[in-house]
Amino acid sequence: MKYSEFLKLIPDSKIDICRAAFLEHKDKIQIKKEAVVIKNLEKIFDATLKIGVSKGFQAMTMRDLSAGSGLSMGALYSYFSSKDEILSVYLGQGRKIVKQVLEAFLVKENDPVAKLETVIQIHLFLTEKMHQWFYFSYMEAKNLNPEEMEKSIQSELYTEKLVSDILIEGYKKNIFKDGDHVLGASVIKAMLQDWYLKRGKYARRKIGVDHYAQFIMAFVSAFYLV
Amino acid sequence: MKYSEFLKLIPDSKIDICRAAFLEHKDKIQIKKEAVVIKNLEKIFDATLKIGVSKGFQAMTMRDLSAGSGLSMGALYSYFSSKDEILSVYLGQGRKIVKQVLEAFLVKENDPVAKLETVIQIHLFLTEKMHQWFYFSYMEAKNLNPEEMEKSIQSELYTEKLVSDILIEGYKKNIFKDGDHVLGASVIKAMLQDWYLKRGKYARRKIGVDHYAQFIMAFVSAFYLV
DNA sequence: GTCTATACACAGATAGAC
DNA sequence: GTCTATCTGTGTATAGAC
């Protein structure tokens, strides 16, 4: 699959995140009109992402966020009771989207090689589409409260397990070589993450996501295909 | 080479960093006695690393640092004129050590395969020994001023170039396959960085640095050896 | 060389007008 | 539902005693 095809198959993640955040936090949000909330959550999350990526979430002040989102300080606090809550909600909703999309594409495949290619491609395509969110999520995870931090780690391990399960299945079917499949999944994950962690570098070198996906698949295949 | 042998071959990086920081910033530091400065720089850098890794440099206050280092606020400001200066100096000195050690080991090798193994091992061993410093450096690089940020990026690209040069040399000698060696070096670097970025994960799984180095070398060899 | 005490700015958060 | 004005705590940095 190409990235351009992937884009046509999935809905707009930005609005999904806002709607899901509204539904899940209805009781905590003081404003009641859905349309108003979603419109403003989008402004808040957009500004959080933009400022957070450029200077870090800790360094972003509520005044920065107020200026960036176009809402007053008072208005911000009628949507979230604290600065940290914005981070927790935003990261939590993003994680859900990632899980949903990965599973939706993986369930279509049966062959381990196709599954491996799919998980590599879809992970890269997702991080391409939501690259700022992923970067932000990675960099700010350590500033979460213990409970949310745990969820973040579990989310990481979940995608890693998707990969290791595929490697193990392929080994059992005599398509992949034997080896430490958990460690293998770990380094594959590292290569996938590099795509959004070093996005500027790859952009400067004019390397696109389709090319990167193909390269990673070749690299991994050389080691795993019998 | 094993990590245990590596440790015997290199001097104590902690004291090196402090001494180099003193020599290079003699004029900016108000205190003049070398022994006093080095002793206190060690306290300051140790505390910066410990607190910075756990809560991030931005979130670390000068009061935290004062408590953690055992020096008063006033004393801290007789060594550094601002909080940011501590970060710049500390990261800058660490980068020098990394460069020196990598070059010292690489110069001993001639064969591309041996060179590739050396750069993988020594990079991993260095990041094992200074793992907190590397993690800190990676996470805080984006908070540096533009000038220091540029140095940080250049340092990254420098180690990447060490790898790509080896791949290219090996290709010319018909030992390695052809391909995009810059992209190859990039993903190898990603795998090397994962070692210090996810240190907790590997520790929990009881994977040691020698085993990780051997695995990465096998992974890379499968793709590159003709 | 190191300390304590403090200046001053700015952060997160809230009250109450509109 | 959104705003402005403001409270209160805490941040970096410094002055001056010891």
Side-chain angles (χ1 to χ4, degrees):
Chain A
M1 195 191 301
K2 292 272 179 215
Y3 179 54
S4 55
E5 298 168 52
F6 168 82
L7 284 179
K8 288 178 204 151
L9 292 172
I10 57 156
D12 184 7
S13 57
K14 214 154 80 174
I15 294 185
D16 284 354
I17 287 180
C18 296
R19 196 186 325 277
F22 167 68
L23 293 173
E24 201 163 315
H25 289 79
K26 247 182 187 163
D27 44 333
K28 288 191 182 173
I29 295 174
Q30 291 172 32
I31 318 303
K32 293 301 161 200
K33 287 186 192 165
E34 172 162 347
V36 175
V37 174
I38 290 180
K39 181 191 69 181
N40 284 334
L41 282 182
E42 194 177 337
K43 286 183 190 169
I44 295 171
F45 288 149
D46 279 356
T48 301
L49 195 57
K50 191 175 175 186
I51 304 167
V53 165
S54 80
K55 62 156 76 173
F57 184 76
Q58 302 248 13
M60 177 189 82
T61 71
M62 291 302 278
R63 285 175 180 82
D64 289 337
L65 187 58
S66 169
S69 65
L71 280 90
S72 67
M73 297 273 291
L76 289 177
Y77 279 93
S78 59
Y79 289 89
F80 295 97
S81 66
S82 76
K83 189 186 163 188
D84 276 350
E85 197 181 53
I86 301 175
L87 184 62
S88 293
V89 171
Y90 190 35
L91 296 190
Q93 295 304 331
R95 284 196 299 267
K96 282 191 186 168
I97 303 266
V98 173
K99 193 163 185 261
Q100 281 166 14
V101 174
L102 273 174
E103 284 174 359
F105 280 91
L106 269 181
V107 81
K108 297 177 193 166
E109 308 293 341
N110 275 304
D111 170 50
V113 174
K115 276 191 186 174
L116 184 62
E117 186 165 26
T118 298
V119 80
I120 287 173
Q121 285 181 336
I122 302 302
H123 194 286
L124 289 171
F125 293 166
L126 258 174
T127 60
E128 173 70 7
K129 185 169 158 61
M130 296 168 60
H131 71 273
Q132 289 198 107
W133 182 89
F134 275 93
Y135 181 82
F136 182 65
S137 173
Y138 193 94
M139 289 297 178
E140 302 301 337
K142 67 178 187 302
N143 300 321
L144 292 165
N145 59 55
E147 192 190 334
E148 290 292 323
M149 163 99 80
E150 182 58 27
K151 285 183 192 166
S152 181
I153 292 173
Q154 288 310 317
S155 171
E156 268 263 355
L157 293 179
Y158 167 78
T159 50
E160 192 181 299
K161 193 168 181 330
L162 286 181
V163 177
S164 60
D165 282 350
I166 294 169
L167 295 178
I168 292 167
E169 186 193 344
Y171 162 64
K172 285 181 181 161
K173 290 183 177 172
N174 289 316
I175 297 169
F176 294 150
K177 286 189 188 135
D178 193 12
D180 185 337
H181 296 307
V182 174
L183 188 48
S186 212
V187 304
I188 291 172
K189 186 94 205 283
M191 294 191 279
L192 296 178
Q193 288 186 317
D194 208 55
W195 180 251
Y196 61 88
L197 292 174
K198 313 276 178 61
R199 198 147 186 293
K201 182 174 81 176
Y202 293 115
R204 251 176 277 125
R205 293 178 182 169
K206 311 227 182 282
I207 293 174
V209 67
D210 288 317
H211 181 217
Y212 192 79
Q214 183 248 312
F215 187 85
I216 299 296
M217 185 62 192
F219 209 106
V220 172
S221 298
F223 187 65
Y224 277 108
L225 286 185
V226 287
Chain B
M1 194 191 301
K2 293 274 179 216
Y3 180 55
S4 54
E5 297 167 51
F6 168 82
L7 284 179
K8 288 178 203 151
L9 293 171
I10 58 157
D12 184 7
S13 56
K14 214 154 80 175
I15 293 184
D16 283 354
I17 288 181
C18 295
R19 196 187 325 276
F22 168 68
L23 293 174
E24 200 163 316
H25 293 265
K26 248 182 187 165
D27 43 335
K28 288 191 181 174
I29 295 174
Q30 292 172 31
I31 318 302
K32 293 302 161 200
K33 286 185 191 164
E34 173 162 348
V36 174
V37 174
I38 290 181
K39 179 192 71 181
N40 284 334
L41 282 182
E42 195 177 338
K43 286 183 189 169
I44 295 171
F45 288 149
D46 278 356
T48 301
L49 196 56
K50 190 175 176 185
I51 304 168
V53 165
S54 79
K55 61 155 75 172
F57 185 76
Q58 301 246 17
M60 177 189 82
T61 71
M62 291 302 276
R63 285 185 181 90
D64 290 337
L65 186 58
S66 169
S69 66
L71 280 91
S72 68
M73 297 275 291
L76 289 177
Y77 278 94
S78 60
Y79 288 90
F80 295 98
S81 66
S82 75
K83 188 185 162 189
D84 275 351
E85 197 179 52
I86 301 176
L87 184 62
S88 293
V89 171
Y90 190 34
L91 296 190
Q93 294 305 331
R95 285 196 299 269
K96 282 192 185 167
I97 303 268
V98 173
K99 192 162 185 261
Q100 281 167 13
V101 173
L102 272 173
E103 283 174 0
F105 280 92
L106 268 179
V107 81
K108 297 177 194 167
E109 308 293 340
N110 273 305
D111 169 50
V113 175
K115 276 191 185 172
L116 184 60
E117 186 166 26
T118 298
V119 79
I120 288 173
Q121 285 181 337
I122 302 302
H123 195 285
L124 289 172
F125 293 167
L126 257 176
T127 59
E128 172 69 8
K129 185 169 158 61
M130 295 168 60
H131 71 272
Q132 289 198 107
W133 182 89
F134 275 94
Y135 180 82
F136 183 65
S137 171
Y138 193 94
M139 289 298 179
E140 302 302 336
K142 65 179 188 304
N143 301 322
L144 291 166
N145 59 55
E147 191 190 334
E148 291 292 323
M149 164 100 78
E150 183 58 26
K151 285 183 193 167
S152 180
I153 291 173
Q154 288 311 317
S155 171
E156 267 264 354
L157 293 178
Y158 167 79
T159 49
E160 192 180 300
K161 192 167 182 328
L162 285 182
V163 177
S164 61
D165 283 350
I166 293 169
L167 296 177
I168 291 167
E169 186 194 344
Y171 163 64
K172 285 182 181 161
K173 291 185 177 172
N174 289 316
I175 298 169
F176 293 149
K177 286 190 188 132
D178 194 12
D180 185 338
H181 296 307
V182 173
L183 188 48
S186 213
V187 304
I188 290 170
K189 185 95 206 281
M191 293 191 279
L192 296 178
Q193 288 185 318
D194 208 56
W195 179 250
Y196 62 87
L197 292 174
K198 313 276 176 61
R199 197 145 189 293
K201 183 173 80 175
Y202 293 116
R204 250 176 278 124
R205 293 177 182 170
K206 311 226 181 281
I207 294 174
V209 67
D210 288 316
H211 180 217
Y212 191 80
Q214 183 248 313
F215 187 86
I216 299 297
M217 184 63 192
F219 208 105
V220 171
S221 297
F223 187 66
Y224 276 109
L225 285 186
V226 287

